[in-house]
C-alpha cells in the first residue's frame, strides 16, 4: 500500500505578492539580468551591512566564482569540514583545488578550528567554514589561523542568510561569503546564489565573471576567463518580495525550532542539534540526532510525516580521496542526523503533530 505523506519535511510558499512582482517583471520585459537584479543585490548588501553583493545562478556557482576571483588555481588546497553538502567541495574542485576535509566538532556539525593547522600544507590557500543550518562557525578562531598562515576565509553560508553572531552576519565576516536561494532555503528564488564581500577588487572580478568577464558589451574586449552565470530579473522580482518577508520567516523558523526543542527535551534518545536562536541564529531546518534513526523515519512515515536523513559525509566520495578516513564526529552526524518537518511556511500544528508522534513512539 502506498503511504500518503501529509506533512512535508520542508514547507515554503509564495503568495500573490511574488506572483504580481513576477508578472510585472515579465510585462516590463525584465527577464534576464538587469535593473531588478541590481536592486536585489543592493537590498541584500544593505540588509547584511556589506558594500558589495553579486547575484548568480546558485550558491555552488557563487562559491566557484569566489574561489576563482580569490585566485584559487589548480593544485592549490582548500580546507573544508566533513559535514556539508557536496556542492562546497565540487565548487572548489571546479576551480582546480584539492579538497582537504577535516572533522567537525563533537557536538556541532561545524568545522573544528583545532584541527585546521594539522591539515595546512605549503599549498593551502583557503579555509571554508560552512555555517550549517544557521549555526555560525567560530570566526575568531578561524580568522586567527587564517591570519597566522596567510589564508583566505571563504564562507559557505548557503543555509544561513540573516543568521547573527558576535562577529556579524554569517557570510560577512571572512573575505567572501556565499548564499543559496534554492527551494529549501529561508529566502528562495527557486534557484540562485549570492556572493558578498567588502573587497572591491573581488567584487569587480566576481561581477564580470558572470558575463565571460566582458564588462561592456558595446565596446567588448576579451580580457579574462569567465562564464555565463547570470541571475535573472524574474528571480530578482521574487527575491525582493522574499526579502520583505524575512522578519516573519525568521520568527517562524525560530518558533518551530523552540517548539521542537521544548517538546523533545525530555526524550533521552533524541537530541535537537543546538542553534543559538536567542543570539540571533536562524535555524533554516530542525535537525535531531537519534539512535536507530531509520526506525523512527519509518514510524513517522507511517503517520504521514515526511523527514530527511542527513546526507553522506563528503569523504565518502571516491573523487575526493583523503589522506585520512578518521572523521568520527562527522560520521556520527551522518548516521544519526535527521531533518524534521520545518520551513518558513510549515504550520505550527504540523510540528506539534510530529512532536506528538515522536513522543508516542518512545512512550510505547
Ligand atoms: C552548505 C551548502 N553549500 C552549498 C550549497 C549549494 O547551493 P545551491 O543549491 O544554491 O547551489 C548548498 C545547497 O543546499 C548547501 O546546503
Amino acid at each position: 500500500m502506498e503511504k500518503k505523506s501529509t506533512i512535508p519535511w520542508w514547507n515554503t510558499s509564495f503568495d500573490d505578492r511574488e506572483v504580481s512582482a513576477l508578472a510585472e517583471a515579465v510585462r516590463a520585459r525584465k527577464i534576464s539580468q538587469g535593473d531588478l537584479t541590481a536592486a536585489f543585490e543592493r537590498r541584500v548588501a544593505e540588509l547584511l551591512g556589506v558594500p558589495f553583493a553579486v547575484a548568480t545562478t546558485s550558491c555552488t556557482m557563487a562559491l566557484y566564482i569566489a574561489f576563482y576571483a580569490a585566485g584559487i588555481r589548480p593544485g592549490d588546497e582548500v580546507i573544508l569540514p566533513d559535514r556539508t553538502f557536496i556542492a562546497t567541495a565540487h565548487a572548489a574542485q571546479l576551480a582546480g583545488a584539492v579538497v582537504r576535509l577535516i572533522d567537525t566538532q563533537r557536538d556541532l556539525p561545524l568545522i573544528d578550528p583545532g584541527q585546521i593547522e594539522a591539515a595546512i600544507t605549503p599549498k593551502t590557500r583557503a579555509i571554508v567554514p560552512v555555517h550549517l543550518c544557521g549555526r555560525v562557525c567560530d570566526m575568531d578562531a578561524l580568522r586567527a589561523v587564517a591570519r597566522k598562515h596567510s589564508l583566505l576565509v571563504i564562507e559557505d553560508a548557503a543555509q544561513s542568510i540573516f543568521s547573527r553572531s558576535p562577529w556579524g552576519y554569517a557570510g560577512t565576516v571572512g573575505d567572501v561569503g556565499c548564499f543559496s536561494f534554492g527551494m529549501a532555503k529561508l529566502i528562495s528564488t527557486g534557484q540562485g546564489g549570492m556572493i558578498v564581500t567588502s573587497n572591491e577588487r573581488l567584487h569587480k572580478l566576481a561581477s564580470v565573471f558572470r558575463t565571460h568577464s566582458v564588462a561592456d558589451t558595446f565596446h567588448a574586449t576579451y580580457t579574462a576567463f569567465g562564464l555565463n552565470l547570470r541571475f535573472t530579473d524574474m528571480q530578482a522580482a521574487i527575491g525582493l518580495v522574499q526579502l520583505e518577508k524575512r522578519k516573519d520567516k525568521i520568527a517562524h523558523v525560530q518558533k518551530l525550532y523552540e517548539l521542537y526543542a521544548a517538546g523533545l527535551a525530555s526524550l533521552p534518545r533524541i537530541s535537537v542539534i543546538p542553534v543559538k536562536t536567542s543570539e540571533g541564529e536562524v535555524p533554516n531546518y530542525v535537525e535531531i540526532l537519534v539512535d536507530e534513526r531509520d526506525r523512527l523515519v519509518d514510524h513517522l512515515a507511517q503517520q504521514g510525516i515526511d523527514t530527511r536523513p542527513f546526507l553522506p559525509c563528503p569523504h565518502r566520495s571516491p573523487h575526493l580521496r583523503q589522506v585520512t578516513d578518521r572523521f568520527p564526529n562527522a560520521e556520527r552526524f551522518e548516521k544519526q542526523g535527521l531533518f524534521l518537518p520545518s520551513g518558513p511556511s510549515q504550520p505550527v500544528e504540523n510540528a506539534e503533530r510530529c512532536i506528538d508522534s515522536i513522543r508516542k513512539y518512545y512512550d510505547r
Side-chain angles (χ1 to χ4, degrees):
M1 191 181 68
E2 200 190 333
K3 285 177 206 132
K4 201 164 152 247
S5 187
T6 52
I7 297 183
W9 82 275
W10 171 260
N11 196 337
T12 197
S13 60
F14 303 92
D15 62 30
D16 287 349
R17 283 190 281 169
E18 282 93 352
V19 173
S20 306
L22 179 58
E24 214 174 289
V26 175
R27 247 182 249 119
R29 293 211 266 174
K30 292 181 189 295
I31 309 281
S32 186
Q33 185 176 293
D35 298 352
L36 290 177
T37 301
F40 183 51
E41 290 171 339
R42 277 196 305 275
R43 189 74 180 125
V44 168
E46 184 181 60
L47 292 171
L48 293 176
V50 287
F52 307 115
V54 176
T56 186
T57 51
S58 66
C59 184
T60 310
M61 287 300 112
L63 286 161
Y64 166 61
I65 295 172
F67 289 131
Y68 192 85
I72 307 269
R73 293 293 180 269
D76 290 343
E77 294 182 9
V78 299
I79 295 176
L80 262 62
D82 194 37
R83 278 315 307 166
T84 182
F85 179 44
I86 194 76
T88 324
H90 286 167
Q93 285 197 308
L94 191 58
V98 175
V99 172
R100 289 282 169 246
L101 297 168
I102 63 169
D103 202 4
T104 64
Q105 298 171 37
R106 195 183 163 281
D107 299 321
L108 290 175
L110 301 178
I111 194 163
D112 180 357
Q115 298 192 36
I116 293 177
E117 284 202 291
I120 294 175
T121 75
K123 293 183 181 167
T124 308
R125 294 291 318 283
I127 305 171
V128 187
V130 181
H131 308 298
L132 276 188
C133 188
R135 302 178 192 93
V136 186
C137 301
D138 181 345
M139 296 306 285
D140 265 350
L142 292 173
R143 284 192 300 193
V145 186
R147 216 175 298 122
K148 183 169 164 200
H149 297 273
S150 303
L151 305 176
L152 294 156
V153 176
I154 298 180
E155 294 175 77
D156 180 341
Q159 304 181 1
S160 298
I161 196 161
F162 300 128
S163 225
R164 283 192 276 125
S165 77
W167 310 280
Y169 283 113
T172 69
V173 189
D175 297 282
V176 195
C178 299
F179 299 100
S180 173
F181 303 123
M183 267 312 286
K185 301 295 179 314
L186 189 83
I187 302 293
S188 178
T189 59
Q191 295 292 332
M194 188 78 84
I195 300 154
V196 299
T197 183
S198 301
N199 181 317
E200 194 169 359
R201 194 184 63 82
L202 287 183
H203 167 245
K204 278 199 180 129
L205 287 170
S207 61
V208 293
F209 189 92
R210 332 169 258 191
T211 55
H212 293 284
S213 297
V214 175
D216 177 347
T217 48
F218 192 84
H219 302 288
T221 49
Y222 301 140
T223 53
F225 177 66
L227 290 169
N228 174 4
L229 294 172
R230 290 176 184 87
F231 201 59
T232 72
D233 276 10
M234 294 184 288
Q235 291 165 292
I238 295 172
L240 283 161
V241 177
Q242 290 270 297
L243 290 177
E244 292 316 304
K245 296 179 174 176
R246 72 192 181 285
K247 286 188 183 157
D248 289 344
K249 284 169 174 279
I250 292 169
H252 189 74
V253 295
Q254 287 180 330
K255 181 175 175 178
L256 288 181
Y257 169 86
E258 301 296 348
L259 205 69
Y260 277 108
L264 301 176
S266 62
L267 299 178
R269 297 223 217 135
I270 286 191
S271 61
V272 175
I273 308 176
V275 179
K276 295 180 209 141
T277 47
S278 59
E279 294 182 21
E281 289 186 343
V282 181
N284 199 76
Y285 312 109
V286 172
E287 302 173 331
I288 61 167
L289 291 179
V290 54
D291 280 337
E292 301 187 356
R293 175 185 65 193
D294 297 347
R295 292 170 73 163
L296 179 63
V297 169
D298 287 347
H299 162 77
L300 292 173
Q302 275 160 20
Q303 312 295 312
I305 300 171
D306 189 23
T307 56
R308 282 286 176 281
F310 275 18
L311 291 163
C313 293
H315 80 261
R316 306 278 182 206
S317 325
H319 56 295
L320 287 178
R321 188 126 24 98
Q322 296 299 306
V323 285
T324 172
D325 58 359
R326 294 239 343 109
F327 301 97
N329 299 333
E331 284 178 1
R332 180 169 146 258
F333 288 110
E334 173 189 59
K335 188 165 170 235
Q336 300 184 352
L338 186 66
F339 297 100
L340 296 180
S342 61
S345 306
Q346 188 76 258
V348 165
E349 306 79 67
N350 286 359
E352 283 166 349
R353 210 181 104 196
C354 179
I355 293 166
D356 197 46
S357 182
I358 295 175
R359 294 183 65 85
K360 285 204 179 106
Y361 175 70
Y362 285 110
D363 279 350
R364 288 179 310 177

